């Protein structure tokens, strides 16, 4: 049985597309071509009910997936999926190359400087691939930390800890 809390978000349904029940997806994955293809499974949640949805048709338009699901055949059916989050079990994720991480693995990690000063905890990861940044929160302070090797000198997902070597002034940019 799939537990929503142990699933990973891979996209959201933006809107219906056409008359045959297709939807446009806002992908939240670096691998949309392999995630949103015919035969793949995603899950939606309505209240407490989790529904498995198999992709029956897929193409890309304007850089976003346009997909059809089993048992969704009309605009009305598709409109009911608007704003639905699409998730997959964490076990369905592909392994990543060394030195790369899924965003959900970084959220919740403690961020400290090389000197041992606590900066805060990662609340989310924003951006794509080479331009990602960690949004680090501590009390009422929010700090953007570039997710690059020169700044994030060590990441230990198992220990939930990221060590940074921030350039001068980085941690003061968002001081309130």
């Amino acid at each position: 049985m799939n537990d929503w809390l142990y699933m990973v978000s891979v996209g959201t349904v933006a809107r219906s597309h056409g008359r045959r029940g297709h939807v446009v997806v806002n992908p939240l994955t670096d691998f949309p071509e392999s995630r949103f293809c015919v035969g793949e499974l995603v899950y939606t949640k309505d209240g407490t009910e989790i529904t498995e949805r198999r992709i029956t048709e897929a193409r890309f338009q304007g850089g976003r997936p346009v997909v059809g699901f089993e048992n969704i055949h009309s605009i009305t059916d598709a409109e009911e999926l608007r704003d639905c989050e699409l998730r997959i079990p964490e076990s369905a994720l592909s392994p990543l190359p060394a030195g790369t991480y899924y965003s959900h693995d970084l959220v919740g990690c403690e961020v400290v400087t090389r000197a041992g000063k606590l900066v805060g905890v990662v609340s989310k990861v924003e951006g794509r691939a080479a331009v990602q940044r960690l949004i680090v929160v501590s009390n009422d302070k929010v700090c953007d930390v570039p997710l690059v090797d020169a700044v994030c000198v060590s990441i230990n997902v198992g220990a939930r800890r990221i060590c940074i070597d921030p350039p001068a002034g980085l941690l003061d940019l968002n001081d309130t």
Side-chain angles (χ1 to χ4, degrees):
M1 175 142 162
N2 290 306
D3 184 341
W4 192 253
L5 295 176
Y6 295 101
M7 291 183 162
V8 178
S9 185
V10 293
T12 57
V13 175
R15 60 180 172 79
S16 62
H17 182 83
R19 297 179 308 200
R20 296 184 298 142
H22 294 166
V23 297
V24 176
V25 174
N26 290 326
L28 297 173
T29 173
D30 288 334
F31 313 105
E33 293 82 11
S34 60
R35 181 59 56 212
F36 298 104
C37 60
V38 173
E40 289 294 310
L41 292 174
V42 295
Y43 296 82
T44 58
K45 184 177 180 186
D46 185 15
T48 59
E49 184 178 335
I50 297 172
T51 304
E52 177 182 279
R53 301 198 182 273
R54 183 171 304 279
I55 297 173
T56 57
E57 295 183 51
R59 69 181 189 285
F60 282 77
Q61 184 172 321
R64 295 192 296 177
V66 176
V67 300
F69 295 114
E70 263 179 4
N71 303 319
I72 303 292
H73 303 291
S74 70
I75 293 173
T76 303
D77 294 342
E79 276 300 316
E80 289 179 13
L81 295 175
R82 181 187 289 268
D83 297 325
C84 276
E85 183 178 10
L86 304 174
R87 290 191 180 191
I88 62 169
E90 192 169 3
S91 61
L93 294 173
S94 303
L96 293 175
T100 57
Y101 307 91
Y102 283 109
S103 295
H104 69 274
D105 286 333
L106 301 176
V107 171
C109 285
E110 180 179 73
V111 177
V112 297
T113 64
R114 277 194 168 167
K117 177 185 175 201
L118 177 64
V119 177
V121 175
V122 178
S123 66
K124 64 182 168 178
V125 180
E126 291 184 344
R128 291 254 184 215
V131 292
Q132 287 184 313
R133 63 190 190 281
L134 305 174
I135 307 304
V136 182
V137 178
S138 176
N139 299 327
D140 60 345
K141 184 178 177 182
V142 177
C143 184
D144 292 5
V145 176
L147 185 55
V148 295
D149 292 342
V151 176
C152 297
V153 292
S154 74
I155 298 175
N156 186 332
V157 172
R160 312 294 296 145
R161 189 175 181 94
I162 299 171
C163 181
I164 65 171
D165 186 12
L170 177 72
L171 299 180
D172 300 321
L173 283 178
N174 295 315
D175 246 342
T176 54

